[in-house]
Amino acid sequence: MKILLTGGTGYIGSHTAVALIDAGHQVTLLDDFSNSKAAVLDRLRDITGTAMDFFEVDVTDEVGLEKVLSERTFDAAIHFAAPKAVGESIERPLLYFKNGVGGTVALLQAMERHSICNIVYSSSATVYGMSDDLPLREDAPTEVINPYGRTKLMCEEILQDLHQADGRWNATALRYFNPVGAHPSGLIGEDPQGVPANLMPFISQVAVGRRPVLQIFGDDYPTPDGTGIRDYIHVLDLAEGHVAAVEHLASDPGYDVINLGTGNGISVRELVDAFERVAGVPIPTEVVGRRPGDGPASWADASKAADVLGWTARRSLDEMVADVWRWQSQNPDGYPD
Ligand code: UDP
């Protein structure tokens, strides 16, 4: 298949590009480098042995999108491009609605003009809100707890309406749990700007000496060790889930929502212990208060992805940690400018 990846140089987009090429597909990457670096393109070429077909375009730029879709043909798009920081979304909601929602609408309009009606959308388990009905199934009630989560839910609803209006559209929203890890080459990985908001990149920056101590946000949750539990999934498993989802669009599935997770919950302390054991470096920690908006536990019911897509996450927690550590120790300051 010929596949357009918006946000193609981002963390999940870049790993999905590798997985798609490995599976024999052709990819075109689109990104505005608002949260990624051009060096990713060199690294992708080194991993795949192929120069990337790339356009520097902001997904809200209708003229830029039109140019890409006029110059290439595509069977499907995978739409990653969107801002993703919960805290920033609370401070700057319009940025999230313009880029997260407006960018999706602009992409869908451009696709419609060119009769490309197959899309895989990057959604998030954040749409389950604070639900404690574990494991989380796709038919669990959704709940908006911040503007970022609202953009994800709104885009899911837009895709559903679009399929309702025009049955040619096939759209699969993938609800990601907690992607971590890196390509085993150590050439690509997660490179957050500023202070990492997420646990795994924070731990790896402590491990490499960029930050002195990991703050554990609460050890008084109703969990076995008191720390928060999440479903961490290797980014390459997640990437392979996208390959399965985009291939599944060829069977004309209409609109669907599918969790991408492992089905296993891991606590903050378990993740820190695994990192210390696998990487062989101490991670100093201090317990502080809970982070506002955090729930105690979240993990997926991953059975729908297995049933519908024939996909299951297969990489272990130790592989996630080993691959993060290889990426972070080979690139202590992330990608070069
Ligand atoms: N967490 C933490 N310290 C940090 C970052 C996160 O203790 O510096 C905890 C957080 O409270 C949650 C878990 O780690 O229990 C995963 O947080 P992350 O932000 O990575 O994912 P999310 O909460 O969005 O699922």
Side-chain angles (χ1 to χ4, degrees):
M1 293 171 75
K2 293 180 182 165
I3 303 162
L4 174 66
L5 272 62
T6 73
T9 52
Y11 173 45
I12 301 171
S14 57
H15 288 82
T16 302
V18 173
L20 286 166
I21 292 168
D22 279 351
H25 299 291
Q26 289 177 36
V27 298
T28 295
L29 276 47
L30 178 153
D31 210 298
D32 64 353
F33 296 131
S34 55
N35 192 23
S36 63
K37 302 250 180 81
V40 174
L41 295 169
D42 301 331
R43 304 289 181 90
L44 287 173
R45 185 202 53 218
D46 293 346
I47 292 171
T48 63
T50 318
M52 290 300 117
D53 185 36
F54 175 75
F55 289 85
E56 185 172 349
V57 169
D58 173 340
V59 77
T60 64
D61 170 7
E62 294 179 16
V63 176
L65 284 174
E66 182 55 35
K67 181 174 146 55
V68 178
L69 272 68
S70 316
E71 291 184 11
R72 298 284 186 279
T73 57
F74 295 107
D75 300 303
I78 307 182
H79 179 36
F80 299 103
K84 59 168 187 177
V86 169
E88 184 186 48
S89 82
I90 295 167
E91 285 157 22
R92 304 181 64 194
L94 293 178
L95 176 78
Y96 278 67
F97 294 121
K98 177 161 174 33
N99 291 344
V101 181
T104 301
V105 173
L107 174 67
L108 293 170
Q109 284 182 311
M111 290 172 69
E112 188 171 57
R113 279 196 298 275
H114 292 268
S115 299
I116 305 161
C117 298
N118 292 317
I119 185 163
V120 172
Y121 175 67
S122 290
S123 191
S124 165
T126 193
V127 300
Y128 296 116
M130 302 288 271
S131 174
D132 54 5
D133 188 10
L134 298 168
L136 290 159
R137 286 167 47 94
E138 289 83 351
D139 55 8
T142 55
E143 181 192 13
V144 168
I145 50 174
N146 52 59
Y148 165 70
R150 192 183 305 281
T151 62
K152 292 297 167 194
L153 203 54
M154 285 174 80
C155 289
E156 287 191 1
E157 290 166 346
I158 288 167
L159 293 170
Q160 191 168 14
D161 286 346
L162 193 55
H163 169 70
Q164 203 71 42
D166 179 349
R168 289 179 306 159
W169 277 95
N170 295 300
T172 304
L174 298 177
R175 292 179 174 166
Y176 308 158
F177 281 71
N178 292 63
V180 297
H183 190 268
S185 64
L187 289 171
I188 58 171
E190 188 170 13
D191 182 21
Q193 292 178 350
V195 181
N198 296 115
L199 180 61
M200 185 66 112
F202 204 106
I203 293 176
S204 67
Q205 291 193 6
V206 172
V208 84
R210 269 171 79 176
R211 313 212 173 258
V213 59
L214 170 74
Q215 293 190 328
I216 295 179
F217 297 149
D219 67 351
D220 57 352
Y221 283 108
T223 61
D225 67 19
T227 65
I229 292 179
R230 297 291 183 273
D231 184 340
Y232 298 95
I233 173 171
H234 196 296
V235 66
L236 274 182
D237 279 327
L238 193 79
E240 289 165 9
H242 288 74
V243 177
V246 80
E247 289 175 349
H248 184 64
L249 293 178
S251 69
D252 220 10
Y255 174 74
D256 210 354
V257 176
I258 299 180
N259 287 338
L260 293 186
T262 66
N264 300 317
I266 303 287
S267 76
V268 175
R269 282 208 193 283
E270 285 172 327
L271 192 60
V272 171
D273 289 349
F275 206 104
E276 290 188 318
R277 179 171 47 75
V278 172
V281 286
I283 309 294
T285 60
E286 63 174 334
V287 176
V288 298
R290 296 182 182 187
R291 182 169 64 180
D294 273 358
S298 154
W299 65 87
D301 180 325
S303 56
K304 186 172 175 184
D307 294 344
V308 175
L309 303 179
W311 168 91
T312 320
R314 53 195 178 87
R315 293 168 177 86
S316 67
L317 179 61
D318 283 14
E319 279 176 275
M320 300 182 210
V321 172
D323 290 338
V324 167
W325 179 233
R326 191 176 306 104
W327 152 254
Q328 190 72 69
S329 45
Q330 288 180 19
N331 306 271
D333 298 314
Y335 291 107
D337 285 321

